Amino acid sequence: MRSKFDGYVTQLQMGCYIVTEDFVYPLDKKGREYGWGWSLLTTPELLLERDYYCCERTPEESYQHLSDHFRQLLPQASEQQIKKLLK
């Protein structure tokens, strides 16, 4: 059961639906941290605030911006190859 849970969490992290906010560590009797930490997970919206993701461009403008950038980086690439990179 644990492996399925880890797989689901990994998929959510890879899709950037959840991100690591911090690590917490267990404390010994003297109040010192020890061992492996546990990661605290949260959504990017909560961690970075909602306004952080507001984009001034439309999706079409973003696509064009990326396409222009790839043309500068890869002048030998054809238009078809650039489209394949962006899809």
Side-chain angles (χ1 to χ4, degrees):
M1 184 64 175
R2 178 71 186 177
S3 63
K4 283 187 178 183
F5 174 77
D6 289 339
Y8 294 136
V9 170
T10 300
Q11 286 180 342
L12 290 171
Q13 287 176 315
M14 288 173 54
C16 293
Y17 294 106
I18 58 173
V19 294
T20 301
E21 177 181 358
D22 198 7
F23 286 92
V24 293
Y25 296 88
L27 301 176
D28 65 9
K29 292 178 184 178
K30 296 181 181 178
R32 296 178 298 202
E33 296 177 343
Y34 73 94
W36 289 90
W38 298 297
S39 62
L40 297 178
L41 301 174
T42 187
T43 61
E45 293 84 3
L46 290 176
L47 181 64
L48 302 171
E49 299 178 7
R50 187 76 177 160
D51 294 340
Y52 181 79
Y53 289 102
C54 293
C55 184
E56 301 291 325
R57 297 185 184 112
T58 65
E60 293 79 18
E61 291 171 335
S62 294
Y63 181 88
Q64 187 60 45
H65 183 74
L66 284 170
S67 180
D68 294 342
H69 183 67
F70 276 124
R71 275 193 212 91
Q72 289 177 352
L73 292 175
L74 308 164
Q76 72 281 6
S78 68
E79 190 66 30
Q80 190 68 16
Q81 290 171 322
I82 291 175
K83 283 183 182 180
K84 194 171 184 178
L85 280 172
L86 294 175
K87 295 282 177 171

